[in-house]
């Protein structure tokens, strides 16, 4: 480029010593892993370029970045944020592929990871091409020194000729907050021509939380063309024209760049801006330069614990050095500086038992571990620690601190063996009782209740060779319940001496001996009770042939009393005898038959007949036992065979079909089939018309011997003989209906009737009877309809003029005058609604109110009444009306509206009734036939 920027930096004068000055002794600080610098500038020689790019795996800088792992860099790996570059383990920087362009400076992050990948460190690397020897500024004592962590890595530092030295003029400007930036300029003599090259601008550091005043100058940008042209300066990037906007501003005329407000490193720690220079026409006159602004961290954030309360646990009796838990506090400040380096300590520990320092904490990692022995859950089950985290590497005097609570629970181990509270226990049980608790063993265990370390397990060591007892654990109180699981017999064992032991569900902890009181003796006494007699052989099976006659002694069924120490007698009785075939002697137990034993009886199942007998002793209370006698009955041939079915039908013409017959015998083999079937010799007609064909030993087919047999019902006798010894025979008569059949071989309906034995005359007689019965029903219906019609057309028994059924008129009756009596007429007012009536309780009611009850049912008048029913209809209606409380009038007192005083209507009480008979009622004759009776009574009409 033809011109170049000159950068005017404002900085604090930090140079403290010159050559030959004495240095104060510096205390050696503990090693902290990390990069030696937070920003590296690496100048790459131009001779590495092949055209305009760099080839793959070209080493750009040997040992370009320095990392100190304190214990060596074993397990440390570097990672580049720019895929075009990679960093070797020794810090050398290589290209990752061909064609890397370094025409302009390149900046990227380098991240270091340790082997477990628990920590990482970052630094910034800027690569730029080196060129001909450049003019380097020489700083005076008042100018800013580049911090040690921002030194420029250069392959060589050539000595500048004297004519290229730069002269700077500064004036100190200092306030209460320390040195303030003082602008300085880089000037080149006009007679010397500067070689064309790119400027590498070191980063600008701005402390956070500055108090101003604002805007505060940071940099002055000058172009060497500002003498011949009017230049306008501008900046772009995040913090200038991108959000957050206007953090940085530049004077477009002078090129001075300012920061406008305090910075916060925790919000943003780095800004990358580009400075531009254009003429008045907006034409770029200089190549934009990059400005890197770093916010210097201040200790303005306290460490913050991830949790206010941490919960951990440790086994009791844990050895010193046992890990318990980890607490973690994070500081928002820069962890590469002391501002963000947090250290931990334990402020307090409660309770102080068995001593005040049982735990320690790693000041760097926050790991809490035991430091002394003596943890005993049975004494102290929980400890509370107050943990403090302090930044500035834990310096309490000027570091910021915060606290959290760590609650450590002591976990129980089985370090306390269970101990029985006594050496001997006792109990008693009745013989033959099962499932009862006979003794209760109490135990003491100081471990945590309801855990495997506390739960007791009991074991019977000796004294129960037949396993009559077991010991169950009560889950509520850990007691051992000695329980009978197998009945004990007083006659065999009157007492048991058990030796029992108690353990825990889990073994005791290492080096914990068993207690001397983990065993005890248990004495269990057995109580004698009256036991029921028992039959020696139940069920008892005996064998007899069926047909044994009554009175036969078949067996003796004795019982035995188990109470050998009691002198008791036994009596026998029959408990169940379904067929009532047996009896038993009450004293000897001898069983005798009372009826013939029949194997074919319904009470015999699978040839066995069962009866149950009872044996009762004379103890107190009496006890009884039962026994079952089973009689196996062998079969004899005492049942002749029978034929099935007993009824069948066959076609009148022989068509090859027949009737299949089966023989049945109640006996069993060998007294059953094969059977012999034959037609009797004496029944010649049967042998002439019918034939028998054997199918197998139990079945035959009965068919016609002739081609045609007249329809009808026939009785066919057949003799059946079994294979018993001696054999038994039985003659069965089969009722066969012979009928005409259709083409399918089935009897027709007419044929079935004919086969039933009814001739044509009988059928006709049946049909005539049916017709006569239907005619009688029809005549009865016609007679009933005619009689009903005559009843409707019959004249009334009274003259129509005298019929007053529809002439009864109802008129309201008037009560006394309004002013005749001193009445409270307000009670006579007609109510406007019935709400007060419905809600009124039982008691006195107004007489003009209609009772609120269901209405009565009145008889329904027929549409066409018979004259003879009128009287009954009237009487029924009268009775219903008399018994209906809802029918008006509701009482003798009728209510009328009160017209008020001074009514123009005269009182009806002023009317006098005439009793002299002078009044004429002749006008009643003019009122028509309805009033004729009344006119006759009062007016002396025509009848007089």
């Amino acid at each position: 480029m033809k011109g170049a920027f000159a950068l005017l930096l404002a900085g604090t004068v930090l140079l403290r010593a010159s050559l030959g000055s004495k240095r104060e002794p510096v205390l050696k600080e503990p090693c902290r892993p990390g990069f030696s610098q937070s920003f590296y500038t690496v100048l790459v020689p131009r001779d590495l370029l092949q055209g305009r790019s760099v080839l793959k795996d070209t080493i750009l800088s040997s040992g370009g970045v320095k990392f100190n792992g304190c214990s060596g860099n074993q397990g440390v790996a570097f990672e580049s944020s720019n895929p075009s570059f990679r960093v070797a383990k020794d810090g050398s920087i290589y290209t990752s592929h061909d064609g890397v362009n370094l025409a302009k400076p390149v900046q990227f992050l380098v991240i270091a990871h340790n082997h477990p990948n628990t920590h990482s460190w970052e630094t910034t690397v800027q690569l730029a091409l080196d060129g001909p020897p450049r003019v380097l500024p020489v700083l005076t004592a008042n100018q800013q020194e580049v911090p040690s962590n921002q030194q420029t890595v250069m392959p060589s530092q050539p000595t500048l000729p004297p004519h290229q030295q730069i002269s700077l003029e500064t004036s100190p400007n200092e306030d209460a907050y320390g040195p303030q930036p003082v602008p300085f300029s880089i000037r080149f003599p006009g007679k010397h021509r500067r070689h064309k090259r790119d400027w590498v601008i070191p980063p600008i550091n701005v402390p956070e939380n500055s108090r101003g005043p604002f805007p505060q100058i940071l940099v002055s940008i000058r172009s060497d063309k500002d003498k011949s042209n009017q230049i306008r300066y501008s900046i772009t990037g995040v913090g200038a024209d991108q959000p957050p906007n206007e953090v940085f501003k530049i004077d477009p005329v002078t090129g001075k760049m300012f920061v406008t407000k305090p910075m916060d490193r925790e919000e943003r720690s780095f800004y990358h801006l580009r400075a531009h220079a254009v003429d008045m026409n907006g034409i770029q006159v200089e190549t934009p330069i990059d400005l890197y602004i770093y916010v210097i961290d201040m200790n303005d954030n306290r460490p913050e614990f991830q949790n206010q309360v941490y919960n951990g646990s440790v086994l009791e009796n844990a050895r010193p050095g046992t890990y318990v838990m980890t607490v973690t506090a994070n500081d928002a400040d820069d962890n590469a500086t002391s501002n963000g380096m947090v250290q931990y300590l334990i402020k307090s520990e409660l309770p102080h038992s068995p001593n005040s320092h049982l735990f320690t904490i790693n000041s760097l990692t926050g790991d809490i571990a035991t430091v002394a022995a003596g943890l005993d859950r049975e004494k102290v089950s929980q400890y509370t620690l107050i943990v403090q985290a302090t930044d500035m590497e834990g310096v309490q005097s000027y570091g910021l601190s915060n606290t959290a609570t760590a609650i450590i629970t002591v976990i129980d181990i089985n370090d306390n063996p269970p101990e029985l509270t006594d050496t001997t226990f006792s109990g008693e049980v009745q013989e033959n009782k099962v499932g009862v608790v006979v003794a209760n063993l109490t135990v003491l265990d100081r471990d945590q209740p309801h855990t495997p370390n506390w739960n007791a397990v009991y074991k019977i060591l000796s004294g129960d060779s037949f396993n009559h007892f077991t010991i169950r654990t009560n889950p509520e109180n850990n007691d051992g319940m000695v329980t009978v699981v197998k009945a004990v017999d007083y006659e065999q064992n009157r007492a048991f001496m058990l030796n029992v032991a108690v353990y825990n569900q889990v073994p005791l902890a290492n080096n914990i001996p068993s207690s001397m009181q983990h065993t005890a003796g248990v004495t269990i006494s057995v109580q004698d009770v009256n036991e029921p007699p028992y039959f020696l052989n139940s069920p008892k099976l005996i064998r007899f042939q069926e047909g044994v006659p009554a009175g036969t002694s078949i067996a003796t069924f004795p019982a035995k009393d188990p109470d050998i120490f009691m002198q008791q007698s036994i009596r026998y009785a029959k408990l169940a005898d379904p067929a009532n075939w047996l009896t038993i002697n009450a004293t000897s137990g001898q069983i005798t038959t009372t009826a013939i034993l029949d194997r074919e009886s319904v009470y015999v199942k699978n040839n066995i007949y069962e009866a149950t007998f009872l044996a009762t002793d004379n103890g107190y209370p009496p006890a009884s036992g039962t026994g079952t006698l089973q009689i196996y009955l062998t079969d004899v041939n005492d049942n002749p065979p029978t034929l099935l079915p007993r009824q069948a039908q066959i076609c009148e013409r022989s068509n090859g079909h027949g009737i299949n017959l089966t023989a049945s015998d109640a006996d069993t083999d060998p007294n059953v089939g094969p059977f012999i079937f034959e037609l009797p010799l004496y029944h010649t007609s049967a042998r002439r018309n019918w034939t028998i064909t054997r199918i197998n030993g139990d079945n035959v087919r009965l068919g016609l011997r002739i081609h045609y047999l007249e329809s009808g019902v026939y009785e066919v006798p057949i003799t059946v003989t079994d294979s018993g010894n001696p054999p038994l025979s039985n003659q069965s008569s089969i009722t066969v209906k012979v009928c005409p059949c259709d083409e399918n071989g089935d009897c027709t309906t007419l044929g079935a009737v004919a086969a039933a034995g009814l001739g044509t005359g009988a059928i006709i007689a049946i049909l005539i009877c049916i017709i006569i019965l239907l005619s009688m029903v029809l005549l009865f219906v016609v007679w009933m309809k005619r009689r009903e019609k005559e009843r409707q057309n019959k004249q009334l028994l009274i003259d129509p003029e005298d019929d007053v059924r529809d002439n009864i008129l109802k008129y309201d009756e008037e009560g006394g005058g309004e002013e005749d009596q001193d009445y409270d007429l307000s009670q006579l007012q007609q109510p406007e609604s019935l709400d007060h009536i419905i809600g009124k309780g039982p008691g006195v009611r107004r007489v003009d109110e209609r009772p609120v009850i269901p209405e009565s049912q009145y008889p329904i008048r027929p549409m066409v009444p018979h004259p003879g029913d009128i009287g009954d209809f009237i009487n029924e209606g009268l009775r219903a009306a008399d018994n209906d409380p809802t029918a008006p009038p509701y009482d003798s007192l009728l209510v009328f509206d009160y017209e008020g005083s001074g009514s123009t209507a005269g009182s009806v009480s002023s009317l006098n009734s005439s009793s002299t008979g002078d009044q004429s009622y002749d006008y009643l004759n003019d009122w028509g036939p309805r009033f004729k009776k009344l006119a006759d009574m009062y007016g002396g009409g025509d009848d007089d």
Side-chain angles (χ1 to χ4, degrees), residues 1-24:
M1 63 180 178
K2 295 180 179 180
F5 279 129
L7 184 64
L8 305 180
L9 299 177
T12 303
V13 178
L14 299 177
L15 293 179
R16 297 181 179 177
S18 60
L19 295 175
S21 61
K22 294 183 179 180
R23 296 182 179 268
E24 296 180 357

PDB file of all heavy atoms in Angstrom, residues 1-24:
ATOM      1  N   MET A   1       0.851  -1.186   0.000  1.00  0.00           N
ATOM      2  CA  MET A   1       0.000   0.000   0.000  1.00  0.00           C
ATOM      3  C   MET A   1       0.883   1.232   0.000  1.00  0.00           C
ATOM      4  O   MET A   1       2.008   1.206   0.455  1.00  0.00           O
ATOM      5  CB  MET A   1      -0.901  -0.018   1.245  1.00  0.00           C
ATOM      6  CG  MET A   1      -0.169   0.054   2.577  1.00  0.00           C
ATOM      7  SD  MET A   1      -1.287   0.015   3.983  1.00  0.00           S
ATOM      8  CE  MET A   1      -0.097   0.053   5.305  1.00  0.00           C
ATOM      9  N   LYS A   2       0.269   2.319  -0.516  1.00  0.00           N
ATOM     10  CA  LYS A   2       1.058   3.531  -0.637  1.00  0.00           C
ATOM     11  C   LYS A   2       1.201   4.215   0.701  1.00  0.00           C
ATOM     12  O   LYS A   2       2.193   4.843   0.977  1.00  0.00           O
ATOM     13  CB  LYS A   2       0.420   4.471  -1.645  1.00  0.00           C
ATOM     14  CG  LYS A   2       0.412   3.896  -3.057  1.00  0.00           C
ATOM     15  CD  LYS A   2      -0.223   4.866  -4.028  1.00  0.00           C
ATOM     16  CE  LYS A   2      -0.207   4.293  -5.456  1.00  0.00           C
ATOM     17  NZ  LYS A   2      -0.815   5.200  -6.424  1.00  0.00           N
ATOM     18  N   GLY A   3       0.189   4.169   1.516  1.00  0.00           N
ATOM     19  CA  GLY A   3       0.247   4.809   2.817  1.00  0.00           C
ATOM     20  C   GLY A   3       0.046   3.793   3.912  1.00  0.00           C
ATOM     21  O   GLY A   3      -0.219   2.633   3.667  1.00  0.00           O
ATOM     22  N   ALA A   4       0.124   4.237   5.127  1.00  0.00           N
ATOM     23  CA  ALA A   4      -0.055   3.315   6.253  1.00  0.00           C
ATOM     24  C   ALA A   4      -0.649   4.062   7.414  1.00  0.00           C
ATOM     25  O   ALA A   4      -0.528   5.280   7.524  1.00  0.00           O
ATOM     26  CB  ALA A   4       1.285   2.681   6.638  1.00  0.00           C
ATOM     27  N   PHE A   5      -1.343   3.260   8.303  1.00  0.00           N
ATOM     28  CA  PHE A   5      -1.863   3.826   9.539  1.00  0.00           C
ATOM     29  C   PHE A   5      -0.734   4.042  10.529  1.00  0.00           C
ATOM     30  O   PHE A   5       0.224   3.281  10.575  1.00  0.00           O
ATOM     31  CB  PHE A   5      -2.871   2.871  10.193  1.00  0.00           C
ATOM     32  CG  PHE A   5      -4.240   2.964   9.573  1.00  0.00           C
ATOM     33  CD1 PHE A   5      -4.896   1.827   9.155  1.00  0.00           C
ATOM     34  CD2 PHE A   5      -4.867   4.201   9.435  1.00  0.00           C
ATOM     35  CE1 PHE A   5      -6.150   1.908   8.609  1.00  0.00           C
ATOM     36  CE2 PHE A   5      -6.129   4.270   8.885  1.00  0.00           C
ATOM     37  CZ  PHE A   5      -6.767   3.134   8.469  1.00  0.00           C
ATOM     38  N   ALA A   6      -0.879   5.071  11.328  1.00  0.00           N
ATOM     39  CA  ALA A   6      -0.052   5.224  12.522  1.00  0.00           C
ATOM     40  C   ALA A   6      -0.956   5.084  13.707  1.00  0.00           C
ATOM     41  O   ALA A   6      -2.019   5.698  13.753  1.00  0.00           O
ATOM     42  CB  ALA A   6       0.632   6.591  12.529  1.00  0.00           C
ATOM     43  N   LEU A   7      -0.620   4.216  14.640  1.00  0.00           N
ATOM     44  CA  LEU A   7      -1.478   3.915  15.785  1.00  0.00           C
ATOM     45  C   LEU A   7      -0.998   4.683  16.996  1.00  0.00           C
ATOM     46  O   LEU A   7       0.149   4.556  17.405  1.00  0.00           O
ATOM     47  CB  LEU A   7      -1.438   2.408  16.073  1.00  0.00           C
ATOM     48  CG  LEU A   7      -2.369   1.931  17.180  1.00  0.00           C
ATOM     49  CD1 LEU A   7      -3.803   2.163  16.760  1.00  0.00           C
ATOM     50  CD2 LEU A   7      -2.115   0.458  17.441  1.00  0.00           C
ATOM     51  N   LEU A   8      -1.882   5.490  17.570  1.00  0.00           N
ATOM     52  CA  LEU A   8      -1.572   6.234  18.778  1.00  0.00           C
ATOM     53  C   LEU A   8      -2.205   5.522  19.933  1.00  0.00           C
ATOM     54  O   LEU A   8      -3.434   5.419  20.000  1.00  0.00           O
ATOM     55  CB  LEU A   8      -2.113   7.660  18.658  1.00  0.00           C
ATOM     56  CG  LEU A   8      -1.644   8.441  17.429  1.00  0.00           C
ATOM     57  CD1 LEU A   8      -2.267   9.826  17.450  1.00  0.00           C
ATOM     58  CD2 LEU A   8      -0.143   8.533  17.398  1.00  0.00           C
ATOM     59  N   LEU A   9      -1.416   4.965  20.805  1.00  0.00           N
ATOM     60  CA  LEU A   9      -1.920   4.188  21.912  1.00  0.00           C
ATOM     61  C   LEU A   9      -1.947   5.022  23.175  1.00  0.00           C
ATOM     62  O   LEU A   9      -1.016   5.781  23.433  1.00  0.00           O
ATOM     63  CB  LEU A   9      -1.062   2.937  22.149  1.00  0.00           C
ATOM     64  CG  LEU A   9      -0.997   1.951  20.988  1.00  0.00           C
ATOM     65  CD1 LEU A   9      -0.060   0.803  21.356  1.00  0.00           C
ATOM     66  CD2 LEU A   9      -2.375   1.450  20.655  1.00  0.00           C
ATOM     67  N   ALA A  10      -3.020   4.843  23.946  1.00  0.00           N
ATOM     68  CA  ALA A  10      -3.095   5.447  25.265  1.00  0.00           C
ATOM     69  C   ALA A  10      -2.891   4.362  26.275  1.00  0.00           C
ATOM     70  O   ALA A  10      -3.659   3.407  26.324  1.00  0.00           O
ATOM     71  CB  ALA A  10      -4.443   6.116  25.471  1.00  0.00           C
ATOM     72  N   GLY A  11      -1.924   4.451  27.114  1.00  0.00           N
ATOM     73  CA  GLY A  11      -1.631   3.394  28.074  1.00  0.00           C
ATOM     74  C   GLY A  11      -1.070   3.935  29.344  1.00  0.00           C
ATOM     75  O   GLY A  11      -0.725   5.103  29.451  1.00  0.00           O
ATOM     76  N   THR A  12      -0.972   3.055  30.314  1.00  0.00           N
ATOM     77  CA  THR A  12      -0.444   3.405  31.622  1.00  0.00           C
ATOM     78  C   THR A  12       1.032   3.066  31.663  1.00  0.00           C
ATOM     79  O   THR A  12       1.449   1.995  31.190  1.00  0.00           O
ATOM     80  CB  THR A  12      -1.196   2.645  32.711  1.00  0.00           C
ATOM     81  OG1 THR A  12      -2.585   2.936  32.589  1.00  0.00           O
ATOM     82  CG2 THR A  12      -0.718   3.057  34.083  1.00  0.00           C
ATOM     83  N   VAL A  13       1.787   3.956  32.192  1.00  0.00           N
ATOM     84  CA  VAL A  13       3.233   3.739  32.268  1.00  0.00           C
ATOM     85  C   VAL A  13       3.489   2.719  33.350  1.00  0.00           C
ATOM     86  O   VAL A  13       3.163   2.936  34.511  1.00  0.00           O
ATOM     87  CB  VAL A  13       3.957   5.058  32.581  1.00  0.00           C
ATOM     88  CG1 VAL A  13       5.461   4.815  32.703  1.00  0.00           C
ATOM     89  CG2 VAL A  13       3.661   6.075  31.511  1.00  0.00           C
ATOM     90  N   LEU A  14       3.980   1.547  32.939  1.00  0.00           N
ATOM     91  CA  LEU A  14       4.188   0.471  33.877  1.00  0.00           C
ATOM     92  C   LEU A  14       5.649   0.089  34.035  1.00  0.00           C
ATOM     93  O   LEU A  14       5.963  -0.844  34.773  1.00  0.00           O
ATOM     94  CB  LEU A  14       3.384  -0.747  33.441  1.00  0.00           C
ATOM     95  CG  LEU A  14       1.858  -0.543  33.369  1.00  0.00           C
ATOM     96  CD1 LEU A  14       1.193  -1.810  32.857  1.00  0.00           C
ATOM     97  CD2 LEU A  14       1.321  -0.176  34.733  1.00  0.00           C
ATOM     98  N   LEU A  15       6.545   0.715  33.288  1.00  0.00           N
ATOM     99  CA  LEU A  15       7.950   0.345  33.383  1.00  0.00           C
ATOM    100  C   LEU A  15       8.496   0.789  34.730  1.00  0.00           C
ATOM    101  O   LEU A  15       8.305   1.940  35.138  1.00  0.00           O
ATOM    102  CB  LEU A  15       8.746   0.995  32.256  1.00  0.00           C
ATOM    103  CG  LEU A  15       8.413   0.476  30.851  1.00  0.00           C
ATOM    104  CD1 LEU A  15       9.257   1.218  29.837  1.00  0.00           C
ATOM    105  CD2 LEU A  15       8.677  -1.003  30.764  1.00  0.00           C
ATOM    106  N   ARG A  16       9.043  -0.126  35.427  1.00  0.00           N
ATOM    107  CA  ARG A  16       9.511   0.175  36.777  1.00  0.00           C
ATOM    108  C   ARG A  16      11.031   0.104  36.924  1.00  0.00           C
ATOM    109  O   ARG A  16      11.587   0.505  37.938  1.00  0.00           O
ATOM    110  CB  ARG A  16       8.862  -0.784  37.772  1.00  0.00           C
ATOM    111  CG  ARG A  16       7.352  -0.651  37.836  1.00  0.00           C
ATOM    112  CD  ARG A  16       6.784  -1.606  38.848  1.00  0.00           C
ATOM    113  NE  ARG A  16       5.344  -1.466  38.948  1.00  0.00           N
ATOM    114  CZ  ARG A  16       4.565  -2.227  39.733  1.00  0.00           C
ATOM    115  NH1 ARG A  16       5.125  -3.159  40.469  1.00  0.00           N
ATOM    116  NH2 ARG A  16       3.274  -2.042  39.767  1.00  0.00           N
ATOM    117  N   ALA A  17      11.666  -0.527  36.015  1.00  0.00           N
ATOM    118  CA  ALA A  17      13.108  -0.729  36.200  1.00  0.00           C
ATOM    119  C   ALA A  17      13.829  -0.529  34.888  1.00  0.00           C
ATOM    120  O   ALA A  17      13.248  -0.701  33.821  1.00  0.00           O
ATOM    121  CB  ALA A  17      13.385  -2.115  36.765  1.00  0.00           C
ATOM    122  N   SER A  18      15.019  -0.227  34.959  1.00  0.00           N
ATOM    123  CA  SER A  18      15.878  -0.103  33.775  1.00  0.00           C
ATOM    124  C   SER A  18      17.061  -1.043  33.950  1.00  0.00           C
ATOM    125  O   SER A  18      17.177  -1.750  34.939  1.00  0.00           O
ATOM    126  CB  SER A  18      16.360   1.335  33.626  1.00  0.00           C
ATOM    127  OG  SER A  18      17.093   1.715  34.771  1.00  0.00           O
ATOM    128  N   LEU A  19      17.906  -1.045  32.926  1.00  0.00           N
ATOM    129  CA  LEU A  19      19.056  -1.946  32.991  1.00  0.00           C
ATOM    130  C   LEU A  19      19.941  -1.585  34.171  1.00  0.00           C
ATOM    131  O   LEU A  19      20.233  -0.416  34.442  1.00  0.00           O
ATOM    132  CB  LEU A  19      19.859  -1.859  31.691  1.00  0.00           C
ATOM    133  CG  LEU A  19      19.112  -2.351  30.440  1.00  0.00           C
ATOM    134  CD1 LEU A  19      19.976  -2.093  29.199  1.00  0.00           C
ATOM    135  CD2 LEU A  19      18.796  -3.802  30.602  1.00  0.00           C
ATOM    136  N   GLY A  20      20.338  -2.607  34.883  1.00  0.00           N
ATOM    137  CA  GLY A  20      21.207  -2.385  36.009  1.00  0.00           C
ATOM    138  C   GLY A  20      20.498  -2.089  37.292  1.00  0.00           C
ATOM    139  O   GLY A  20      21.144  -1.966  38.321  1.00  0.00           O
ATOM    140  N   SER A  21      19.165  -1.938  37.262  1.00  0.00           N
ATOM    141  CA  SER A  21      18.433  -1.659  38.502  1.00  0.00           C
ATOM    142  C   SER A  21      18.303  -2.930  39.309  1.00  0.00           C
ATOM    143  O   SER A  21      18.247  -4.026  38.770  1.00  0.00           O
ATOM    144  CB  SER A  21      17.062  -1.076  38.196  1.00  0.00           C
ATOM    145  OG  SER A  21      16.325  -2.013  37.455  1.00  0.00           O
ATOM    146  N   LYS A  22      18.201  -2.794  40.603  1.00  0.00           N
ATOM    147  CA  LYS A  22      18.077  -3.939  41.475  1.00  0.00           C
ATOM    148  C   LYS A  22      16.630  -4.388  41.547  1.00  0.00           C
ATOM    149  O   LYS A  22      15.712  -3.574  41.544  1.00  0.00           O
ATOM    150  CB  LYS A  22      18.569  -3.574  42.872  1.00  0.00           C
ATOM    151  CG  LYS A  22      20.055  -3.271  42.931  1.00  0.00           C
ATOM    152  CD  LYS A  22      20.478  -2.986  44.358  1.00  0.00           C
ATOM    153  CE  LYS A  22      21.965  -2.704  44.414  1.00  0.00           C
ATOM    154  NZ  LYS A  22      22.416  -2.428  45.802  1.00  0.00           N
ATOM    155  N   ARG A  23      16.425  -5.681  41.591  1.00  0.00           N
ATOM    156  CA  ARG A  23      15.081  -6.252  41.707  1.00  0.00           C
ATOM    157  C   ARG A  23      14.853  -6.734  43.129  1.00  0.00           C
ATOM    158  O   ARG A  23      15.719  -7.313  43.733  1.00  0.00           O
ATOM    159  CB  ARG A  23      14.885  -7.433  40.739  1.00  0.00           C
ATOM    160  CG  ARG A  23      14.976  -7.043  39.287  1.00  0.00           C
ATOM    161  CD  ARG A  23      14.716  -8.241  38.399  1.00  0.00           C
ATOM    162  NE  ARG A  23      14.780  -7.869  37.009  1.00  0.00           N
ATOM    163  CZ  ARG A  23      13.721  -7.490  36.317  1.00  0.00           C
ATOM    164  NH1 ARG A  23      12.541  -7.434  36.907  1.00  0.00           N
ATOM    165  NH2 ARG A  23      13.844  -7.182  35.037  1.00  0.00           N
ATOM    166  N   GLU A  24      13.650  -6.501  43.611  1.00  0.00           N
ATOM    167  CA  GLU A  24      13.290  -6.976  44.945  1.00  0.00           C
ATOM    168  C   GLU A  24      13.060  -8.474  44.892  1.00  0.00           C
ATOM    169  O   GLU A  24      12.570  -9.023  43.881  1.00  0.00           O
ATOM    170  CB  GLU A  24      12.024  -6.274  45.434  1.00  0.00           C
ATOM    171  CG  GLU A  24      12.224  -4.784  45.601  1.00  0.00           C
ATOM    172  CD  GLU A  24      10.954  -4.121  46.095  1.00  0.00           C
ATOM    173  OE1 GLU A  24       9.944  -4.836  46.243  1.00  0.00           O
ATOM    174  OE2 GLU A  24      10.973  -2.900  46.314  1.00  0.00           O
TER     175      GLU A  24
END
